[in-house]
Amino acid sequence: MKSATGTAEPGAIQLAFTDFKEITKAKLALSVVFSAVAGYFLGAQEVRLLPLSLLILGGYCMVGASNAYNQVIERTLDKKMHRTRHRPIPSGRMGVATAMAIAIAMTLAGVLFLYQLNPRTAFFGALSIFLYTCVYTPLKTVTPLAVFVGAIPGAIPFMLGWVAATDDFGIEPGTLFMIQFFWQFPHFWALGWMLDEDYRRGGFKMLPTGKKDTGTAVQIIMYTIWMIVISIIPVFGITGRLSLSVPAAVLVFLMGLGMLWFALRLYERRDRQSARSLMLSSVTYISLMQIVYVADSLIT
């Protein structure tokens, strides 16, 4: 027969691991790391395991730290929203001191890992934490412009991989930054449309007009178009070492049109299901676009 202690300990460890994943938003963090790795493959002349490992570890720590700080700051607001009230802090499973310790430890570890690659990578990683925690998070209850500010740290990972591989910041990582920057708006506004009622409970102002209206739908369409334009610019040979073959550009363009179709459907229907479809299509687009970029660079 197993003792009470023997059965409780694995359960406690599993719960602690689950709470760690929630406080760092593991799924989101891994998707961000995926973007950084894609940027690294695009910039690297030779892929080496140690730098790639440092980027993965540092990238996860940076995103995890940002999310932990965010949940500490918004703990009282999280209690008011259905989708967040079961998070570790508002549910009482984790104390603020523990969450802060995790955030600080991951900040220090992340900066250290990225600094081993080069100081520029560490700087951009630290900048993303600062902007997300100290600017974006407080602004969410003040103005819809918070999404614009949040799009900056959200766009850094794709660029960060290139900087990690090359120790250089120029037009190539700048282009990668702009692609993911413009992508942020239709993605987060679709999410904001879906969760508008819940966000209102927490006092968050996420939609550009403050409403699920024509103005918001039009802005989603416009930013989607800009995202498509920026995504195919490398095919014209004006972005330095960052290039895109014609077949790859056509594929990226067609994927962008698919996302634009969902944006137009949201404009037409203005319902939650259309917003959800757009949000899911945006996640699919950014992942497949990065895969196409990397595959094209390896082939050509």
Side-chain angles (χ1 to χ4, degrees):
M1 181 181 294
K2 294 182 180 178
S3 66
T5 303
T7 56
E9 186 176 354
I13 293 174
Q14 183 178 3
L15 180 60
F17 181 65
T18 299
D19 284 343
F20 175 80
K21 290 194 296 182
E22 288 190 28
I23 202 73
T24 60
K25 294 186 181 178
K27 290 182 179 179
L28 173 62
L30 290 174
S31 69
V32 171
V33 169
F34 180 86
S35 293
V37 169
Y40 177 86
F41 274 95
L42 290 173
Q45 299 286 349
E46 176 186 359
V47 176
R48 293 182 294 157
L49 183 58
L50 179 58
L52 185 59
S53 299
L54 289 171
L55 177 63
I56 292 171
L57 291 171
Y60 189 96
C61 285
M62 288 300 190
V63 181
S66 297
N67 290 325
Y69 286 127
N70 174 267
Q71 291 182 52
V72 168
I73 296 169
E74 295 181 348
R75 60 189 182 277
T76 57
L77 302 179
D78 281 347
K79 288 183 180 180
K80 301 178 181 180
M81 297 187 291
H82 295 315
R83 73 183 189 89
T84 57
R85 62 187 178 185
H86 297 299
R87 284 176 173 175
I89 300 177
S91 67
R93 298 194 310 273
M94 181 181 292
V96 172
T98 301
M100 279 298 295
I102 291 172
I104 292 170
M106 294 191 78
T107 301
L108 296 175
V111 171
L112 179 62
F113 286 137
L114 296 182
Y115 190 83
Q116 299 305 307
L117 293 166
N118 56 68
R120 284 190 181 90
T121 305
F123 167 76
F124 284 120
L127 179 64
S128 69
I129 292 181
F130 173 79
L131 290 175
Y132 189 89
T133 303
C134 300
V135 186
Y136 166 67
T137 296
L139 281 179
K140 286 165 68 177
T141 57
V142 177
T143 172
L145 288 174
V147 174
F148 179 88
V149 176
I152 298 173
I156 284 178
F158 200 16
M159 171 200 81
L160 191 73
W162 184 287
V163 176
T166 64
D167 192 16
D168 181 60
F169 182 80
I171 191 169
E172 299 94 344
T175 302
L176 298 180
F177 174 88
M178 293 304 294
I179 293 171
Q180 198 148 332
F181 177 79
F182 281 103
W183 170 84
Q184 302 277 324
F185 295 94
H187 172 74
F188 279 108
W189 285 336
L191 185 64
W193 192 298
M194 284 174 54
L195 303 173
D196 184 56
E197 289 77 13
D198 214 20
Y199 276 132
R200 288 178 182 275
R201 293 187 188 97
F204 295 123
K205 305 178 186 296
M206 303 303 290
L207 297 177
T209 66
K211 303 175 184 178
K212 297 186 287 185
D213 60 6
T214 301
T216 290
V218 168
Q219 291 196 51
I220 288 173
I221 291 170
M222 295 305 298
Y223 276 91
T224 302
I225 292 172
W226 275 112
M227 177 203 73
I228 296 171
V229 171
I230 300 297
S231 294
I232 62 172
I233 276 183
V235 76
F236 298 106
I238 58 175
T239 52
R241 283 207 301 118
L242 180 66
S243 62
L244 199 61
S245 69
V246 172
V250 170
L251 183 56
V252 169
F253 179 73
L254 291 175
M255 291 190 301
L257 288 183
M259 185 172 159
L260 179 60
W261 184 84
F262 285 107
L264 291 169
R265 193 168 73 167
L266 176 61
Y267 174 83
E268 179 185 1
R269 299 183 180 180
R270 302 179 201 175
D271 60 359
R272 189 179 188 277
Q273 182 56 46
S274 298
R276 184 175 185 275
S277 296
L278 174 59
M279 189 275 294
L280 293 175
S281 72
S282 70
V283 173
T284 302
Y285 172 82
I286 197 69
S287 300
L288 291 180
M289 180 274 296
Q290 290 168 347
I291 290 172
V292 169
Y293 262 69
V294 172
D296 187 59
S297 70
L298 294 175
I299 293 171
T300 58

